[in-house]
């Protein structure tokens, strides 16, 4: 599923800034359904592996098409799941309209970026489900 048009525009500019700095990044996850988010939430909890998120369905900005996760790739095109480049990416491409998951206290999510709405996630969800603007 595609991002919200405003998030698409922000993501394009974000990726351009990274490219200008020589960071090879791509969006590897954007919009998720509530069910997909619930499935992700089980990882590192009831399913094996590391925790990958801290939000259930309806609690993530991914559900409202205003968040994306990047993957960083090396010059040969190999995916780098862990790299200091995730910190560098935030340094060069985090602008006023964006929030970085690496700044979160409870669960640092370095590949994660989302639009700042000025609303609580509950309010975003309520507006989303009513079909009203939230960004
Ligand atoms: Zn994310």
């Amino acid at each position: 599923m595609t991002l919200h048009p405003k998030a698409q525009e922000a993501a394009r500019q974000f990726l351009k800034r990274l490219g200008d700095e020589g960071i090879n990044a791509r969006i590897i996850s954007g919009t998720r359904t509530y069910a997909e988010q619930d499935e992700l939430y089980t990882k590192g909890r009831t399913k094996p592996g590391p925790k990958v998120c801290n939000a259930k369905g309806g609690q993530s900005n991914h559900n409202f098409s205003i968040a994306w996760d990047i993957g960083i790739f090396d010059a040969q095109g190999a995916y780098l799941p862990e790299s200091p480049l995730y910190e560098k990416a935030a340094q060069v491409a985090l602008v006023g309209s964006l929030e970085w998951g690496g700044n979160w206290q409870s669960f640092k999510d370095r590949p994660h970026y989302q639009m700042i709405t000025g609303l609580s996630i509950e309010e975003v969800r309520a507006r989303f489900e009513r079909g009203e603007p939230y960004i």
Side-chain angles (χ1 to χ4, degrees), residues 37-86:
Q37 187 68 37
D38 278 333
E39 175 64 24
L40 216 53
Y41 185 81
T42 65
K43 286 192 186 153
R45 293 184 171 90
T46 57
K47 297 253 181 78
K51 283 184 190 175
V52 292
C53 68
N54 213 19
K56 299 179 190 175
Q59 298 175 344
S60 167
N61 282 297
H62 283 285
N63 299 142
F64 314 120
S65 304
I66 53 173
W68 61 86
D69 300 333
I70 60 167
I72 294 180
F73 298 79
D74 70 14
Q76 285 71 46
Y79 171 53
L80 305 172
E82 298 282 343
S83 166
L85 288 173
Y86 286 91

Side-chain angles (χ1 to χ4, degrees), residues 32 62 69 109 112:
R32 298 179 194 132
H62 283 285
D69 300 333
D109 192 355
H112 179 99

